[in-house]
Amino acid sequence: MMKKIIKLLLVTMFTVSLVGCSSDNERSNTVDTTEQINQNSNDTQITADKILVVYFSVPEMDGVDTSSSASRVATEDGVVGNTQYVANIISQEMGDDLYRIETVQTYPETHDSLLEFAYEERSEDARPELKNEIDNFDEYDTVFIGYPNWNADLPMPLYTFLEQYDFTDKTIIPFTTHGGSGFSGTIGVIADLQPNATVISNGLSISRNDVASCDNEIKEWLDELQIK
């Protein structure tokens, strides 16, 4: 009985983290206290010869209006996940390559089922197998990495991805979509997993409530990064 109560509490906490509402339209710039994180400022430029935009996204397809849902946006080309929407804009603005992290397993596309599935993955510290690979990864020196904030943590496929590729001497620029938790500690997690990379601390975090109207915010953030 006690075990069931504990699990129920943990699932409730996960629900708040994954889909909690937020009216805050400001970008979250929480700095993780990890040595290799570089606090980028307006006086610092990022030199990039070749950029890759990587993202993981699971759009929910049930029961909610696409303009305000937890994880999807309606576009002219159809419904896409929140993180996918942001990644597409970054790629279009930067004129660089786009890569979607996909897994062999299929994630549920209904809200409650996805909550339970993601909770179980995290509790098991799972490493989902990835479906595809980046053949020319060594060619990129700067990598944007986007993901939804799940349970105040990276989605488990991000752990697989970050453990599979070597980011030595590369610059990592994180961005996330969330239900009110911002980055939580995920920038520090990325830095811990890739200790030989430079991880930019002032990444972009956007509330799920603001994704559909975030185009200008994304462009302003990219300008602040001063990527040359």
Side-chain angles (χ1 to χ4, degrees):
M1 180 64 177
M2 182 58 68
K3 184 178 293 186
K4 290 183 178 179
I5 293 175
I6 293 173
K7 182 174 181 179
L8 179 61
L9 289 172
L10 289 173
V11 171
T12 301
M13 291 171 62
F14 179 82
T15 303
V16 172
S17 174
L18 185 58
V19 300
C21 293
S22 170
S23 60
D24 183 3
N25 193 37
E26 295 183 357
R27 200 165 63 240
S28 171
N29 287 319
T30 302
V31 178
D32 299 79
T33 55
T34 306
E35 291 183 359
Q36 64 267 28
I37 294 178
N38 175 40
Q39 176 63 56
N40 190 53
S41 69
N42 290 334
D43 298 326
T44 303
Q45 292 184 350
I46 300 172
T47 302
D49 292 326
K50 191 168 185 179
I51 299 173
L52 176 66
V53 181
V54 173
Y55 71 94
F56 173 75
S57 187
V58 181
E60 297 169 16
M61 305 304 289
D62 64 326
V64 285
D65 177 22
T66 56
S67 66
S68 60
S69 76
S71 64
R72 61 180 181 173
V73 180
T75 71
E76 294 180 354
D77 298 322
V79 175
V80 300
N82 278 346
T83 309
Q84 180 178 3
Y85 182 82
V86 176
N88 285 339
I89 295 175
I90 294 172
S91 179
Q92 291 166 11
E93 288 298 311
M94 302 304 296
D96 292 293
D97 298 337
L98 186 65
Y99 170 81
R100 181 173 185 172
I101 297 173
E102 296 184 85
T103 58
V104 173
Q105 69 185 22
T106 301
Y107 280 86
E109 293 184 346
T110 56
H111 178 71
D112 290 341
S113 297
L114 180 58
L115 278 177
E116 180 68 18
F117 195 95
Y119 166 78
E120 292 293 341
E121 266 198 343
R122 187 176 186 275
S123 64
E124 296 170 2
D125 196 27
R127 295 295 187 271
E129 182 181 354
L130 303 186
K131 181 187 295 186
N132 46 357
E133 295 183 357
I134 306 173
D135 294 330
N136 58 335
F137 185 73
D138 290 342
E139 297 178 9
Y140 299 98
D141 54 21
T142 301
V143 184
F144 287 82
I145 298 182
Y147 50 90
N149 182 330
W150 282 3
N151 198 26
D153 199 355
L154 298 173
M156 301 316 292
L158 266 293
Y159 281 90
T160 306
F161 178 79
L162 289 165
E163 291 170 355
Q164 181 171 317
Y165 291 92
D166 181 7
F167 284 75
T168 296
D169 297 329
K170 299 183 188 297
T171 298
I172 298 174
I173 307 175
F175 62 97
T176 189
T177 56
H178 61 89
S181 300
F183 275 109
S184 301
T186 57
I187 295 180
V189 173
I190 293 171
D192 288 340
L193 291 170
Q194 291 294 337
N196 297 316
T198 297
V199 182
I200 300 301
S201 65
N202 60 326
L204 177 70
S205 75
I206 297 182
S207 166
R208 60 153 179 154
N209 299 321
D210 304 323
V211 170
S213 59
C214 69
D215 298 41
N216 288 336
E217 184 176 359
I218 295 172
K219 294 173 185 177
E220 290 173 1
W221 172 66
L222 291 172
D223 288 341
E224 290 173 8
L225 290 174
Q226 298 190 55
I227 300 174
K228 302 296 181 181

